[in-house]
Amino acid sequence: MLNVGMVGVGCISGIYLENFTNVFRDVKLVAVCDLIRERAENAQKKYNVPKLYDTMEELFADPEIDIVLNLTRPYQHYAVSKAALLAGKHVYSEKPLGADLAEGEELVKIAEEKGLFIGGAPDTFMGAGIQSCRRLIDAGVIGTPIGGRMAMVSHGVETWHPDPDFYYQRGGGPILDMGPYYITALINLLGGIRKVYGYTYTAYPERLITAEPHVGEIIKVNTPTHIECFLTLDSGITVSMLTSFDVYGTRQANIEIYGTKGTLYVPDPNNFGGKIIFKNGETGQEEEFPMTFDYPENSRCLGLDDMAVAIETGRPGRTTYKQTLHVLETMAGVFESAKTGLPYEMKTHFVREAPMDPTKPHGHL
């Protein structure tokens, strides 16, 4: 069992804390730290965390900690992860790996030089929904894949999020915020990406916050908020993706995979489970397939647990930088293509790791 120190105790930390306590047994949370000390104090008290640190540097200096869990804001991921690596800690970071490709590449370089693991979210692809879809595709149920579409659209987060500003700054926006879920699911279903073509737009240069505690405040938007792209996979097929904070609604499924025998409607990749529907091309009927893997519920921390086991046993991890850097480069490639008007050729190469083992006891990998 490896010990974990959590840096950042914001909104996403709640489900990690719950799952550290009640689900996963290959990792142990031993310390928390947040710039707002009250958040760390509340987490320590509620979940009986042994240690609380005032600064991340103090946490990094603790020899008992093996892995740093980086739950800070996206534009802070690089600085926190770099400092943790330089202190000799393995790192599991919330998505994205960095705010741009250069940050991600530097983090990977440091980790490799020091013989450390760095990887991170999302881990939703390890849940029952995406894993079951992968099994169906690999078994040939949909025939030969010929393409697909993905869509994540909303009209922003300022109507519900208590602190929405960072979603509209560097490191935010719909593709860096939500794109990792979709791209990670896609490459685990169909394999890596070799070419990207992108388009970006911003419909609203300012946003009015209507959620407490910042009701009435104006956000200056400093990142594209409507992004469309075409992703050509190593197999040669192309999948289109739309991510937007500017759209009021869509009827398109989150992910549709088209095959020679029919269409697979994949569950929302922001979740671990969900309905799996196949439109059978031969019968014309829609069939619902059962989930055949564990973790249909919100199982954030699953990827961290997998990383810990990989470190201890030497087996390949499913959430390493080989995946998170490939996803980050894909998103960076969208912006580069949008700027140049030319397709972006990927430098990284992704090969899927083994699927999940449904025979493992719940909470152990």
Side-chain angles (χ1 to χ4, degrees):
M1 177 184 294
L2 296 185
N3 293 328
V4 178
M6 176 189 290
V7 178
V9 192
C11 290
I12 194 65
S13 68
I15 189 61
Y16 278 93
L17 290 161
E18 287 287 337
N19 289 338
F20 268 121
T21 305
N22 301 313
V23 180
F24 296 105
R25 297 292 176 259
D26 301 313
V27 286
K28 180 181 179 182
L29 182 66
V30 299
V32 290
C33 174
D34 194 279
L35 290 172
I36 301 174
R37 183 181 172 87
E38 182 182 4
R39 291 178 177 175
E41 289 174 344
N42 290 339
Q44 182 186 37
K45 181 179 179 180
K46 183 175 180 179
Y47 295 98
N48 298 312
V49 182
K51 303 177 185 180
L52 183 153
Y53 287 106
D54 289 319
T55 70
M56 66 179 189
E57 290 79 12
E58 292 173 342
L59 184 146
F60 299 158
D62 185 342
E64 187 181 4
I65 292 172
D66 303 299
I67 303 174
V68 169
L69 173 58
N70 184 354
L71 300 185
T72 59
R73 293 178 177 183
Y75 61 82
Q76 298 169 320
H77 286 175
Y78 164 75
V80 173
S81 294
K82 180 178 179 179
L85 290 169
L86 291 174
K89 306 299 184 185
H90 302 292
V91 173
Y92 185 93
S93 175
E94 255 302 325
K95 45 77 187 171
L97 176 63
D100 57 43
L101 182 58
E103 289 186 353
E105 289 175 331
E106 184 180 353
L107 292 174
V108 167
K109 183 173 183 290
I110 295 170
E112 288 181 333
E113 288 174 348
K114 288 186 165 290
L116 297 167
F117 273 60
I118 181 170
D123 54 4
T124 46
F125 76 95
M126 297 170 65
I130 302 300
Q131 289 292 308
S132 298
C133 288
R134 173 176 172 171
R135 174 177 282 180
L136 293 173
I137 293 171
D138 290 351
V141 171
I142 74 167
T144 301
I146 59 177
R149 294 186 184 276
M150 306 191 294
M152 190 300 300
V153 303
S154 73
H155 206 260
V157 300
E158 63 274 15
T159 60
W160 60 269
H161 198 281
D163 191 18
D165 181 79
F166 73 88
Y167 283 93
Y168 299 99
Q169 311 308 325
R170 178 177 178 271
I175 193 165
L176 281 169
D177 177 53
M178 293 299 294
Y181 294 108
Y182 288 75
I183 298 169
T184 300
L186 176 68
I187 63 178
N188 276 277
L189 292 172
L190 297 177
I193 296 165
R194 62 178 171 86
K195 185 164 61 176
V196 179
Y197 185 84
Y199 161 85
T200 65
Y201 181 71
T202 302
Y204 307 96
E206 295 183 344
R207 297 276 182 154
L208 173 66
I209 301 176
T210 57
E212 295 289 353
H214 298 286
V215 174
E217 295 180 19
I218 299 294
I219 299 172
K220 297 290 185 181
V221 177
N222 292 304
T223 191
T225 49
H226 185 87
I227 300 165
E228 297 195 67
C229 61
F230 294 92
L231 309 174
T232 301
L233 309 187
D234 289 334
S235 64
I237 69 172
T238 295
V239 175
S240 66
M241 179 172 69
L242 165 65
T243 63
S244 181
F245 286 161
D246 296 341
V247 174
Y248 283 101
T250 180
R251 291 185 178 180
Q252 181 180 315
N254 294 282
I255 301 178
E256 301 175 351
I257 303 297
Y258 310 135
T260 54
K261 293 182 179 179
T263 295
L264 184 67
Y265 300 102
V266 179
D268 184 347
N270 189 28
N271 299 327
F272 287 80
K275 281 190 177 182
I276 301 169
I277 304 295
F278 176 60
K279 176 66 176 290
N280 190 310
E282 182 177 338
T283 66
Q285 300 299 310
E286 290 190 351
E287 310 168 28
E288 183 173 350
F289 280 86
M291 291 182 285
T292 53
F293 286 80
D294 197 3
Y295 304 105
E297 67 287 325
N298 191 338
S299 300
R300 281 174 172 82
C301 203
L302 180 58
L304 174 58
D305 193 274
D306 185 81
M307 172 186 278
V309 173
I311 292 169
E312 290 199 287
T313 65
R315 71 156 170 78
R318 296 181 178 88
T319 55
T320 70
Y321 75 80
K322 292 179 181 180
Q323 177 168 280
T324 57
L325 185 63
H326 190 71
V327 171
L328 179 59
E329 187 188 7
T330 300
M331 298 185 294
V334 172
F335 290 115
E336 181 65 19
S337 173
K339 183 172 68 175
T340 65
L342 301 171
Y344 174 86
E345 300 286 343
M346 295 283 288
K347 296 181 292 183
T348 59
H349 181 65
F350 176 77
V351 178
R352 300 186 302 171
E353 295 294 346
M356 294 287 284
D357 183 350
T359 69
K360 293 286 187 182
H362 190 71
H364 289 278
L365 296 179

